């Protein structure tokens, strides 16, 4: 019986994991280039708002509305993250403060735009978001088929593809090598003729793209409309996944899945005999509790990029 | 032969100081050209200008006869100029090869062609006898290997003109010897070397020509073969320098520092100090010598409280300080000149004056009712600057970062000696100092001894240990392999002990002295 619940739960866990993984990968790019990006939460909100709005507005004219919505979320994330890049790279602002400001801004901005477009504090509900699909053939594999290929959101496959792509870019290409050097020791990178600002722009904008995409994915799979609380801390959970996953794409995959699973658990706990005794609220706080624990245990260890968060002065000795 | 580098009438101003004043430097191709000068004379500045890190306010640069404008290091690289900085610029968790190819990666399609890169690094390393493993991580290799990676970085970019800024300050005597051989090899292969160093012996050993700077001006350029060390020192300081320390016989008193059965783990998590015992008396200098990495760092960090001990005890006078905090130890009278001046010695973004009161900022007269007293801080700074001849552009308000390497060192030494602690742990006190400053600092350390303080001197320089110490303890593999009387030993004996070949019973060294307490 419990195993049946587990099988049912799995695709839901994948659904919750996808945005966390995508956004955490975004954070990976930013931090590897040396810029701490706690604006991921706000970026997700902007992406989610844009994704939902485009879907609502286009769904009567094209069946691909939700997919265009994803793309729109991605682009909106880039534009929004540009603010963080300018503040922390050109203006040399404290990156945590800049990120916090963007998180606050995102809430106000999206609700304001909803008010203008929809005359209410949320977007209109869309009829379909991203649709589930079953992979022909593979979904028939016993057990595994039901876990990964039957009635799942394709966004999870996007997340997996992004993990591989990130790994390839960060560890195998000259671009990745240079970007990581900027996050570890920008003076060394600069002395080798690398343009540190350019690299950091790249990192932050990619984090905007992936965070915006993550936000759009989240609202278009797990929600019916964008509201102020659609993201409810998922950006921070992504940040925790990045720390938990030790700034490594595969680590992020594991951590993201872990958090996705713990979110799914809150929906199924009442059906699992062992857990049904606990109050339901417990499972709602679980992902956040785990986030705090993850940060407590791992944040102190200096495994992250050494220069992340430090302001880079080009002439410094 | 022709001049490959010509720097003509170079002038450079920094806030409050003219670092280079109408300097003309001509460097012959395929030669080793040494640059000598007091701390703050402007050597690093001049070389930074050649490498494009600073722009001169006046003057021109010619490379291979052609006038050039070196607007940034990329231009310098394109001109075939490379520089090994005083502080290395390496990414600690990258491999040797990754550090070298950074910014100029060989590619295979979209990928970094790591195999070709490693092969090329290996080839260059072989050609010049560098013996570097292209696959090791930077954080896992020794300082001297890291320096070779810096050399490889230049060679990989086909640099012809190589600038070394005090390359030997961080090396052991053996490593220095190897570096000298590498430099000769580089010249044989057609390279030209510009070498900044304070060690006259090294200039005598490898350089062809030596240019001397004093307070921003060029004093002269001399062929090394026709000049002796005394003459070079005189040119640079403007007076005669005595290379030997004058001191009277020690009058040791009570034991002030006692270490008993100490075990300390090193960074790798194994015991770096093993069951070590020693003691230092009031009015004596105990020199601790050994090859780098034999437990000196761990011992010092344990005594000063920078790391925790596995077992064993440390007493200051008769107080057990094994588990006290750094500040508590310092308040009890423990002083420390740290090994890594930028990490443990100074706050680089604070001013010189602020750095001087880093221990005492909360005490009278520097603070009154919790508010800093600017006037007292300034007066204190001015006194120390004068006493120790700390040179900088703006005196007490100079940011530590804007000071020359040697003057940063002098600032730390001044601060710590001025506190006159009862127990004084002195590590590499003269690293990066010019001969004049060394002479003065040595005098002051002896002065502390004569004020009945207990001094533990840790240094990689055998000369310094032999000149200053009353007794010498030799550390090998985390253990004291012998303690000898400084007056009765010689370089050979110490060398044998440092390599672990000779153990000298500790009692033997104590005979004829007061009751053994080691
Ligand atoms: N970036 C800077 N800003 C301000 N002043 C500087 C800067 N760099 C150097 N100076 C000043 O210029 C003078 C010359 O410094 P430089 O580093 O060239 O000395 P140096 O000869 O290399 O000395 P050392 O032997 O101690 O390394 C010093 O007084 C220093 O304070
Ligand atoms: Mg210098």
């Amino acid at each position: 019986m419990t195993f049946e619940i587990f099988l049912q739960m799995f695709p839901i866990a994948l659904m919750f994991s996808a945005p966390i993984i995508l956004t955490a990968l975004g954070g990976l790019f930013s931090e590897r280039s040396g810029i701490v990006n706690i604006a991921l939460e706000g970026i997700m909100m902007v992406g989610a708002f844009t994704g939902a709005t485009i879907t609502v507005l286009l769904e009567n004219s094209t069946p691909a509305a939700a997919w265009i919505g994803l793309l729109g979320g991605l682009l909106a994330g880039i534009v929004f993250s540009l603010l963080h890049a300018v503040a922390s790279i050109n203006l040399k602002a404290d990156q945590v403060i800049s990120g916090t400001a963007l998180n606050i801004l995102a809430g106000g901005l999206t609700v304001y735009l909803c008010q203008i477009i929809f005359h209410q504090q949320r977007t209109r509900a869309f009829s379909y978001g991203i649709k589930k699909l079953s992979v022909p053939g593979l979904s028939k594999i016993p057990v595994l088929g039901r876990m990964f290929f039957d009635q799942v959101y394709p966004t999870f496959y996007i997340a997996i593809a992004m993990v591989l792509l990130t790994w390839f870019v960060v560890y195998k290409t000259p671009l990745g090598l240079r970007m990581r050097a900027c996050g570890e020791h920008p003076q060394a990178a600069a002395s080798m003729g690398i343009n540190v600002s350019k690299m950091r722009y790249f990192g932050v904008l990619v984090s905007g793209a992936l965070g915006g995409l993550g936000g759009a994915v989240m609202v278009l799979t797990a929600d019916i409309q964008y509201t102020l609380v659609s993201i409810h801390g998922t950006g921070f959970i992504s940040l925790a996944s990045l720390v938990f996953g030790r700034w490594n794409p595969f680590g992020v995959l594991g951590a993201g899945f872990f958090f996705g699973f713990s979110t799914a658990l809150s929906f199924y706990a009442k059906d699992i005999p062992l857990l049904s005794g606990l109050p339901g609220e417990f499972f709602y706080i679980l992902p956040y509790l785990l986030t705090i624990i993850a940060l407590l245990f791992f944040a102190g260890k200096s495994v992250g990029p050494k220069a992340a968060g430090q302001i880079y002065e080009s002439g410094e000795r | 032969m022709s001049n490959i580098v010509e720097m003509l009438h170079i002038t450079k101003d920094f806030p409050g100081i003219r670092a280079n004043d109408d300097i003309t430097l001509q460097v012959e191709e395929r030669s080793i050209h040494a640059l000598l000068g007091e701390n703050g004379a402007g050597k690093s500045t001049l070389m930074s200008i050649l490498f494009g890190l600073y722009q001169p306010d006046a003057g021109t640069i010619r490379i291979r006869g052609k006038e050039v404008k070196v607007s940034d290091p990329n231009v310098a690289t394109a001109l075939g100029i490379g520089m090994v900085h005083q502080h290395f610029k390496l990414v600690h968790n990258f491999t040797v090869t990754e550090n070298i190819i950074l910014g100029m990666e060989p590619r295979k399609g979209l990928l970094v062609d790591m195999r070709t890169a490693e092969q090329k690094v290996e080839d260059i390393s072989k050609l010049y006898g560098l013996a570097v493993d292209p696959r090791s991580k930077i954080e896992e290799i020794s300082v001297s290997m890291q320096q070779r990676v810096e050399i490889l970085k230049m060679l990989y970019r086909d640099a012809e003109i190589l600038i070394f800024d005090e390359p030997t300050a961080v090396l052991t005597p053996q490593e220095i010897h190897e570096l000298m051989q590498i430099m000769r090899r580089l010249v044989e292969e057609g390279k030209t070397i510009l070498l900044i160093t304070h060690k006259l012996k090294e200039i005598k050993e490898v350089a062809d020509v030596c240019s001397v700077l004093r307070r921003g001006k060029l004093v002269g350029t001399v062929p090394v073969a026709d000049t002796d060390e005394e003459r070079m020192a005189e040119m640079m300081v403007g007076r005669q320098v005595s290379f030997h320390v004058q001191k009277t016989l020690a009058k040791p008193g009570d034991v002030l520092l006692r270490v008993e059965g100490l075990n300390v783990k090193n960074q790798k998590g194994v015991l770096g100090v093993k069951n070590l015992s020693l003691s230092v008396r009031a009015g004596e200098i105990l020199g601790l010598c050994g090859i780098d990495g034999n437990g000196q760092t761990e011992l010092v960090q344990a005594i000063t409280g920078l790391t925790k001990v596995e077992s064993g005890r440390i007493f200051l006078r008769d107080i057990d300080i094994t588990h006290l905090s750094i500040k508590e130890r310092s308040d009890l009278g423990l002083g420390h000149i740290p090994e890594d001046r930028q990490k443990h010695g100074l706050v680089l973004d604070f001013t010189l004056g602020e750095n001087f009161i880093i221990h005492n900022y909360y005490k009278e007269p520097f603070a009154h009712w919790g508010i800093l007293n600017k006037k007292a801080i300034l007066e204190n700074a001015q006194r120390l600057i004068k006493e120790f001849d700390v040179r900088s552009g703006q005196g007490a308000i100079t940011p530590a970062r804007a000071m020359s390497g040697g003057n940063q060192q002098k600032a730390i030494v001044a601060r710590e000696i001025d506190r006159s602690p009862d127990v004084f742990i002195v590590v590499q006190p003269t690293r990066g100092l010019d001969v004049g400053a060394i002479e003065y600092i040595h005098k002051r350390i002896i002065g502390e001894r004569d004020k009945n303080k207990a001094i533990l001197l840790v240094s990689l320089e055998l000369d310094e240990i032999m000149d200053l110490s009353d007794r010498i303890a030799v550390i090998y593999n985390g253990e004291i392999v012998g303690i000898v009387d400084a007056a009765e030993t010689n370089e050979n004996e110490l060398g044998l002990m440092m390599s672990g070949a000779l153990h000298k019973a500790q009692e033997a060294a104590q005979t004829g002295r007061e009751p053994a307490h080691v």
Side-chain angles (χ1 to χ4, degrees), chain A residues 76-100:
Chain A
I78 294 180
V79 173
F80 194 64
S81 69
L82 204 57
L83 294 176
H84 188 51
V86 172
S88 51
I89 302 169
N90 298 79
L91 306 180
K92 304 191 193 309
D94 185 292
Q95 297 163 19
V96 172
I97 294 180
S98 158
T100 307

Side-chain angles (χ1 to χ4, degrees), chain B residues 208-501:
Chain B
D208 303 301
V209 182
C210 174
S211 288
V212 183
L213 303 188
R214 193 195 309 156
R215 294 188 182 258
K217 292 203 175 74
L218 182 74
V219 180
T221 298
V222 291
V224 171
D226 308 345
T227 322
D228 59 19
E229 291 177 31
E230 281 74 17
R231 171 90 189 99
M232 284 193 278
E234 205 185 318
M235 272 177 87
M236 119 185 201
V237 190
R239 63 175 166 88
Q240 289 215 325
V241 181
S242 119
F243 291 97
H244 278 281
V245 188
Q246 304 291 325
K247 63 170 190 194
T248 54
L249 217 60
K251 298 183 211 67
D254 298 339
V255 171
L256 291 189
L257 174 71
R258 199 165 83 237
V259 173
E260 279 178 5
L262 197 68
N263 288 295
V264 187
K265 278 194 182 156
N266 62 18
Q267 271 185 334
K268 293 186 193 109
V270 295
L271 283 183
V273 167
K274 296 170 202 153
N275 194 21
L276 186 146
S277 301
L278 60 76
S279 60
V280 190
R281 293 167 176 278
E284 75 162 353
I285 299 177
L286 176 68
L288 182 72
C289 76
I291 297 169
D292 196 19
N294 272 283
Q296 296 96 318
T297 309
E298 290 80 8
L299 175 63
V300 168
Q301 293 195 337
I303 296 176
T304 54
L306 285 165
T307 188
K308 66 177 207 297
V309 307
E310 288 303 305
S311 62
R313 299 211 287 173
I314 304 164
F315 295 91
L316 197 153
R317 283 184 232 99
D318 277 317
I319 309 161
D320 185 345
I321 61 165
T322 320
H323 300 292
L324 295 189
S325 73
I326 297 179
K327 186 157 168 301
E328 286 165 328
R329 295 179 204 217
S330 153
D331 288 346
L332 280 172
L334 183 75
H336 178 208
I337 295 178
E339 182 175 9
D340 186 334
R341 64 178 170 232
Q342 299 216 333
K343 201 149 123 207
H344 299 299
L346 290 173
V347 182
L348 288 176
D349 291 314
F350 281 13
T351 65
L352 180 54
E354 288 165 344
N355 270 296
F356 277 143
I357 56 156
I358 215 128
H359 298 288
N360 301 333
Y361 62 91
Y362 58 94
K363 288 187 195 151
E364 295 279 355
F366 304 124
H368 192 60
W369 295 106
I371 298 188
L372 289 177
N373 178 350
K374 283 254 161 67
K375 189 156 163 277
I377 295 172
L378 192 69
E379 278 167 8
N380 176 63
Q382 278 161 349
R383 181 176 58 81
L384 289 178
I385 287 172
K386 190 147 169 274
E387 228 178 281
F388 287 84
D389 190 23
V390 183
R391 296 184 195 173
S392 61
Q394 298 157 288
I397 58 160
T398 315
R401 196 182 290 285
M403 292 168 48
S404 80
N407 282 298
Q408 292 179 350
Q409 177 73 14
K410 278 201 234 171
I412 296 172
V413 173
R415 178 183 74 207
E416 298 301 325
I417 290 185
D418 188 53
R419 294 174 67 217
S420 196
D422 289 345
V423 175
F424 200 7
I425 315 296
V426 180
V427 188
Q428 304 276 12
T430 57
R431 175 177 279 186
L433 295 192
D434 65 57
V435 286
I438 292 176
E439 184 189 14
Y440 180 71
I441 299 297
H442 281 176
K443 252 195 222 146
R444 291 294 303 251
I445 293 176
I446 305 258
E448 287 304 302
R449 182 200 74 168
D450 293 342
K451 280 198 262 172
N452 259 332
K453 313 292 179 174
I455 296 169
L456 177 65
L457 169 73
V458 183
S459 176
L460 295 176
E461 306 226 10
L462 223 42
D463 289 343
E464 182 162 61
I465 292 272
M466 296 208 296
D467 280 353
L468 290 183
S469 311
D470 301 306
R471 287 187 300 143
I472 300 176
V474 183
I475 190 166
Y476 172 73
N477 207 3
E479 293 170 281
I480 300 287
V481 291
I483 297 191
V484 293
D485 210 314
E488 289 161 15
T489 187
N490 55 43
E491 223 166 297
N492 270 341
E493 185 181 59
L494 290 177
L496 283 174
M497 287 163 75
M498 281 161 65
S499 65

Side-chain angles (χ1 to χ4, degrees), chain A residues 317, chain B residues 14-15 17 19 38-45 54 86 166 198 391-393 402-407 432:
Chain A
R317 312 208 280 177
Chain B
F14 283 120
I17 199 164
E38 287 175 291
N39 297 122
K43 307 174 296 288
S44 297
T45 303
Y54 296 138
Q86 236 163 334
E166 291 187 41
H198 289 294
R391 296 184 195 173
S392 61
M403 292 168 48
S404 80
N407 282 298

Side-chain angles (χ1 to χ4, degrees), chain B residues 100-101 104 106 120-121 124 152-158:
Chain B
I100 292 169
I101 62 173
M104 247 182 85
K120 187 164 175 202
V121 169
I124 305 175
L152 278 168
K153 265 166 53 173
M154 304 191 287
L155 298 173
Y156 181 84
R157 283 162 178 70
D158 294 322

